């Protein structure tokens, strides 16, 4: 898959560990910044990445800040984005199966790199269940298009 990734300074270190990990899973990764650990504002990175995912330029996105909360708030304001903030593997698997989430958010100051890799691997390799969940996602789409 084509994967977009972004972070602020709080997520930079984790992002730099995850990029080779995701590439090692056979995916192509595009980094939307930031590009070093200088203090920046997470909306400046989360909005452009989420918009690129919403336009269909990338199949999925990964957004990381200190807590994961700031980037997840931003991403979920972009029409067509279903961003899931995950701190455990079961949530990562279930949000793919039930919510068809297209962006994964994580907190670089909350979880360690091995947990983040396990979450990312589960999220990237789990398919949407469809079925009864289709109608629920259609309701979200209808609401945001009203
Ligand atoms: C930056 O200090 C921090 O506020 C940010 O990374 C994130 O945690 C916001 O939600």
């Amino acid at each position: 898959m084509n994967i977009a990734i972004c972070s602020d300074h709080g997520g930079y270190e984790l992002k730099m560990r995850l990029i080779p990990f995701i590439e090692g899973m056979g995916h192509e990764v595009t980094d939307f910044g930031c590009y070093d650990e200088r203090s920046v504002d997470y909306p400046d990175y989360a909005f452009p990445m989420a918009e690129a995912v919403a336009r269909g330029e990338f199949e999925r996105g990964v957004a990381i800040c200190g807590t994961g909360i700031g980037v997840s708030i931003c991403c979920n304001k972009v029409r067509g984005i279903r961003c899931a903030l995950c701190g455990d593997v079961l949530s990562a698997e279930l949000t793919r199966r039930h919510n068809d989430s297209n962006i994964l958010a994580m907190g670089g100051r909350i979880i360690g790199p091995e947990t983040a890799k396990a979450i990312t691997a589960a999220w990237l390799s789990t398919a949407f269940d469809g079925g009864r969940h289709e109608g629920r996602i259609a309701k979200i789409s209808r609401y945001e298009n009203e």
Side-chain angles (χ1 to χ4, degrees), residues 7-11 39-43 64-73 106-110:
S7 74
D8 71 354
H9 54 291
S39 182
V40 293
D41 299 333
Y42 56 82
I64 310 168
C65 64
T67 58
I69 297 171
V71 289
S72 67
I73 291 171
M106 290 180 286
R109 294 173 178 157
I110 304 296

